[in-house]
């Protein structure tokens, strides 16, 4: 198994699909996501990672992301209730917490990778 890059974003106040305008659709029951932060000086703030189900235009899981020099790994699963109803394709999206103030000069970037068989 190896890590595959899903993309890098600079968190803003709007949801951003990781991997570009159309994001990366994931259709796995469970996936490991590795989060890497890069910045010159650590910003004060929080970003969110959400599991967005494109076909349903709905989100399910939220994770808080704090600027850190350490990589973090999350296990994200599609709940059985959704999968049994044919809802399984999702994309990772990131945005700043609503009241987070990150200077416009901040170079904080978040990179997501997925562990694939």
């Amino acid at each position: 198994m190896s890590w595959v890059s899903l993309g890098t974003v600079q968190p803003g106040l709007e949801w951003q699909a990781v991997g570009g305008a159309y994001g990366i659709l994931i259709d796995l029951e469970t996936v490991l996501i590795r989060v890497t932060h890069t910045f010159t000086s650590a910003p004060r703030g929080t970003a969110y990672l959400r599991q967005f189900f494109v076909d349903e235009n709905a989100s399910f899981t939220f994770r808080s992301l704090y600027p850190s020099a350490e990589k973090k790994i999350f296990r994200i699963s599609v709940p059985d209730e959704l999968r049994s109803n044919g809802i399984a394709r999702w994309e990772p999206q990131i945005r700043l917490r609503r009241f987070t103030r990150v200077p416009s000069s901040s170079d904080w970037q978040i990179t997501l990778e997925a562990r694939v068989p």
Side-chain angles (χ1 to χ4, degrees), residues 15-18 20-27 31 33 48-63 76-79 82 87-95 112:
W15 287 109
Q16 299 175 62
V18 177
Y22 300 104
I24 303 289
L25 293 178
I26 298 172
D27 189 12
V31 64
I33 301 285
Y48 291 129
L49 166 64
R50 78 175 176 176
Q51 186 180 22
F52 185 74
F53 292 88
V54 179
D55 297 333
E56 298 298 312
N57 196 31
S59 55
F60 188 75
T61 303
F62 288 85
R63 304 280 182 164
I76 300 178
S77 301
V78 174
L82 297 179
I87 303 169
R89 293 178 350 129
W90 62 278
E91 69 181 11
Q93 294 184 348
I94 292 177
R95 68 163 270 176
L112 298 184

Side-chain angles (χ1 to χ4, degrees), residues 29 78-85:
E29 187 172 331
V78 174
D80 291 337
E81 298 85 3
L82 297 179
R83 186 168 283 287
S84 65
N85 285 297

